[in-house]
Amino acid sequence: HERQKLDLYLPPTGSRWPLVVSIHGGAFRMGSKDGEAAATAGALVARGFAVAAINYRLSQHAIFPAQIEDGKAAVRWLRANAPRYGYDPDRVVSFGGSAGGHLAAMLGTAGDVKAFDVGAHLDQSSRVQAVVDFFGPTDFLQMDAHRPSAEAMVHDTPDSPESQLVGGPIRDNPDKVARANPITYVTKDDPPFLIIH
């Protein structure tokens, strides 16, 4: 798919840099690696990190699990190509905000879920060693219970970003929602998380 691309940003000197996989937000239905992920890359590269700003299929292109399949495929591609570009394949961090935070968290908790590993480089691990999650949803069915005000977005509607992601109203599809929730996959061997709300 045309969305299955990434941009790689490398520091001008050195090698074996930690690698940040930067995932854009946009309610699973908009956004691009050329926006916030690219802007973040400059600051991180200046501090000695390599950055891969990735795109993924949006909900109008494919419903879940396409998005985590794309994220895991990017991590595997990046590991397979580490010798070519010089970053450290053993220090990979997923990083994102909102929908990107959700996918960063999914990479952290579902790194060992082989059902989401499809495509090339299946000999490579899609696990990350740390997660930075800026306000990514972790349980879609709890979002409206924690709305900050009556004016805030309602997530239980059939046209909400989360409903579009799973292919139907979230309240009518609890099994699909559970499969898309990062919290479903939490185990004691998951990497450390920094969660910022």
Side-chain angles (χ1 to χ4, degrees):
H1 192 274
E2 65 184 13
R3 296 274 311 177
Q4 294 168 314
K5 294 181 179 173
L6 62 82
D7 292 331
L8 191 56
Y9 301 86
L10 304 174
T13 60
S15 64
R16 301 293 291 176
W17 314 283
L19 174 65
V20 175
V21 178
S22 183
I23 310 169
H24 70 82
F28 306 105
R29 55 188 176 194
M30 59 190 152
S32 167
K33 63 181 172 53
D34 303 323
E36 67 191 59
T40 300
L44 291 171
V45 167
R47 289 169 175 80
F49 293 89
V51 177
I54 70 169
N55 271 347
Y56 52 88
R57 288 170 286 173
L58 302 173
S59 58
Q60 64 267 32
H61 304 135
I63 62 171
F64 188 88
Q67 297 73 23
I68 189 60
E69 290 171 353
D70 291 351
K72 287 172 71 91
V75 172
R76 291 193 315 272
W77 185 91
L78 288 160
R79 279 224 165 80
N81 285 279
R84 178 177 178 188
Y85 294 108
Y87 47 79
D88 187 344
D90 297 321
R91 293 191 294 162
V92 180
V93 177
S94 59
F95 173 98
S98 192
H102 167 271
L103 294 172
M106 283 292 292
L107 284 172
T109 61
D112 56 349
V113 178
K114 295 299 181 191
F116 297 144
D117 278 305
V118 298
H121 305 292
L122 293 174
D123 60 321
Q124 300 292 326
S125 171
S126 59
R127 295 191 79 154
V128 297
Q129 284 64 59
V131 174
V132 180
D133 169 9
F134 281 85
F135 54 91
T138 56
D139 185 346
F140 293 160
L141 295 178
Q142 294 298 314
M143 293 176 73
D144 280 353
H146 300 282
R147 285 173 56 213
S149 70
E151 294 79 33
M153 176 186 280
V154 177
H155 298 275
D156 286 350
T157 61
D159 63 344
S160 73
E162 300 76 23
S163 294
Q164 290 179 344
L165 180 69
V166 301
I170 57 173
R171 290 285 168 200
D172 297 343
N173 294 281
D175 292 342
K176 290 180 180 179
V177 169
R179 191 166 184 237
N181 282 337
I183 200 167
T184 299
Y185 306 100
V186 172
T187 59
K188 64 183 178 180
D189 64 341
D190 287 341
F193 274 62
L194 172 62
I195 301 171
I196 302 169
H197 276 275

